[in-house]
Structures are given as C-alpha cells and as structure tokens.
Amino acid sequence: MAVSGLLQTVLLGAAAAFVVFAVVLVYRIMAGPTMQDRVIAVNGIGTNAVVVLALLAAALDRPGFLDIALVYGLLNFLMSIAISKFSVERGGVI
C-alpha cells in the first residue's frame, strides 16, 4: 500500500525529529555523570533507532525495515540487561 505524499512527508519529518533526539542523547552519554545515566542514554538511542526504522518502513513502504527494527529492539533490550548486570556485579550501583 503506497503512502500519500503528505503522509510520507510527515512520517519522514517525524523520523528526522527522532534522529535529532538521539543526537541530543549523545551528550548525556559523554557527560554522564554516572554509569546509569549513560546506560539509559544508550537505551534511549536504541529505542529512537527502532522508532526511526518503523517510521521509515511506513514512509518508504519497505516492510523489511520492520523486521530489522524488531531484531534491533530485542538486541537493545538484551544489551541494557547485560550492562545493568555487569554494573551490579562490579559494585557500580549506588
């Protein structure tokens, strides 16, 4: 199903806004100040990537992007769990 021109523009604009939000989160990764702040920022960037992929799938009529978004979402979740577990085992939790 093809998307109309206006809807495609809105979806691509929303995807661009989420990319800007992800770039803002890079500051939180660099600035910290704690490991938990960095983990949440990385998780936020991963979530934004999933949303951007879903919006691109709808805007460009590419359903394969949804498969990539689902796999990336699962990997993002597992990465957050692994970092959190590593942080707890190393005594990094305040």
Side-chain angles (χ1 to χ4, degrees):
M1 180 172 93
V3 180
S4 70
L6 177 62
L7 182 58
Q8 183 178 18
T9 303
V10 170
L11 291 172
L12 290 174
F18 276 102
V19 169
V20 170
F21 296 152
V23 170
V24 171
L25 284 172
V26 171
Y27 169 75
R28 181 50 50 199
I29 292 173
M30 298 298 175
T34 65
M35 181 66 170
Q36 289 80 18
D37 291 329
R38 291 183 172 100
V39 169
I40 290 172
V42 169
N43 193 1
I45 289 174
T47 303
N48 281 343
V50 171
V51 171
V52 166
L53 283 169
L55 288 170
L56 289 176
L60 303 177
D61 198 26
R62 302 287 302 260
F65 285 4
L66 287 176
D67 297 335
I68 296 168
L70 285 171
V71 170
Y72 191 74
L74 290 171
L75 290 174
N76 186 40
F77 172 73
L78 291 175
M79 181 271 317
S80 296
I81 297 297
I83 290 175
S84 297
K85 184 176 182 196
F86 176 76
S87 178
V88 168
E89 287 177 356
R90 300 276 294 185
V93 175
I94 297 172

